Amino acid sequence: MAVTLTINGQSIEAAGGESLFDLAEAMSIDVPTSCRKQGKCKECLVEVVEGMDLLSALAEPERHLKGNFRLSCQACVAATDGHVRCHTMRRGHMVIERHAFGLPVGNQALKLDPAVTRDGDRILIDGVEVERSTGPILGIAMDLGTTTVVLRLVDLESGELIADTSFENPQRFGGSEVMSRIAYDTDHPGRLLMRTLAGYLTHAIEKFPVDPKSIYEMVVVGNSTMRDLFFRKSVYSIGQTPYQSITEIEMAEGKRTTTSLVQTGLQSLLPIHPKARVYGAPIISGHVGADAAACMLAVDLTHEERLVAVMDIGTNTELILGNKHRILAASCPAGPAFEGGAIACGMPALDGAIEEVAIADDGAVSLKVIGNVQPAGICGSGLVDAMSELLRTGRMNDMGRFEDDVQRVTLYHGERPGEDADVFLLESDVNELAQAKGANVAGLHAVFSSYGIDFDDIDVFYLAGGFGRHLNIEASKRIGLVPSLDSTKIVQAGNTAIEGATIALLSKAKRMELEELVKRVEHCRLETHPEFFNFFVEGCQFKPVEPIPCAK
Ligand code: FES
């Protein structure tokens, strides 16, 4: 008898006593580490999805972990029979877009004006010498999402993209959404969340095909919690009403003039130049963070005459509405369901994820799978398709109930002997997705009604983010994830937050523009909107989102 261990889809037989790290190494699976199995770096995280009880008890270095997370160098196989399934926090190549799409032309003809410049062999940041070198001058733009981290490496002298990378945010061991991360950071002093992320960022930067010491500036965007955790600020106040970042509180008290943050490469615990400047873009207010601010820069709101909306669907959905004259912004706590979290067979947009689903009249299901491999789960765009098709073919009603009281709809029958390798959707999954959708729709109604306009008044509706880029628009309209707008008005723009961060990295003038822009935004506080709960209940139903009559 032996225990079968499956890590990142690869399997091995374990006699017992071996650590998960050793078994992963035997299969040539790359496990993040900086301490070589000493239990010190906390980077070798795995999420155990099956067979937790077949592993050794939690060891001392793992006391900070909860739920199904373990350190693979500490967790050993402690049984002689059964199946353990787990995955590392870097389980393969994530699909990322290299460029944004359909943005105004203004920013595409960006005038290079970086803060880091060269004078002979002197390298200067805002005119102050930081190094003597004739080597390249590079910078990093980072979108630090609750679920996903995206990095772009850019040549600051030519504006050229050199490399990019993306990985799951390893801070997920502290909870999948911002409120649980805040609670975790408050309960576990020692900045464990930041230190773990810094380890992953270090590995990512060291894999770039350049000398990390030639990286002199970094622009970081993310929601208020992710940004402040990165800069090792207390995030406690963001979790308590009135939900303010410590930088917002200090600004109101006259202790600072901007909510942006600056530290050195050394302070960031990253392998970039120690005197590099790491700039955290300003937040807007409350949970509406620097990622939303970067989106505004990317869509050139400062110069925009048309009425535009930006919706960046994620664990925290950002909403921006307006033009150069007036801007409203909100953040919706949608949770991780549309990024595959809290869904039985959910997974990020990695190889093996079902990304498209079609159901024929006879019930036959056809699938498109990322990487053209055997399906291992389903990602956000696949979930939207699946629900839309179940709705269209009458297999699910608009309350999210499956026909004939079934609890599970199988999308793919797996054929691994002795285990459930099916990919399926449970009614409880649909319920999670309904609530995530409800939060997004409630945010849309609250922002539009606060602005005093209907959906039809919009000239452009940008669907931002990697998820928004890959959505089937008709399916999204059918289930009521996006408003029932004329499709020609909807632009699937891709990751506008990383685009905005890149613009701020390449241009001091644009960075100043961003600092000014955030001061003009009105924060629409959803939690105090009188109709929010009604909007939410309405939004949980699977039916098209129609305008709510509003006072113009
Ligand atoms: S390898 Fe560093 S804690 Fe496990």
Side-chain angles (χ1 to χ4, degrees), residues 21 31-45 61 71-74:
F21 197 130
V31 181
T33 172
S34 297
C35 77
R36 296 306 305 163
K37 312 180 200 172
Q38 299 297 305
K40 291 181 182 160
C41 71
K42 321 287 188 207
E43 291 170 17
C44 62
L45 281 167
L71 292 181
S72 60
C73 71
Q74 302 296 311

Side-chain angles (χ1 to χ4, degrees), residues 430-464:
V430 175
N431 193 30
E432 289 283 342
L433 291 157
Q435 295 197 38
K437 197 175 77 63
N440 289 340
V441 172
L444 277 170
H445 283 313
V447 171
F448 273 76
S449 64
S450 298
Y451 208 100
I453 59 171
D454 288 334
F455 296 136
D456 287 340
D457 295 325
I458 278 289
D459 294 308
V460 187
F461 189 93
Y462 291 107
L463 260 179

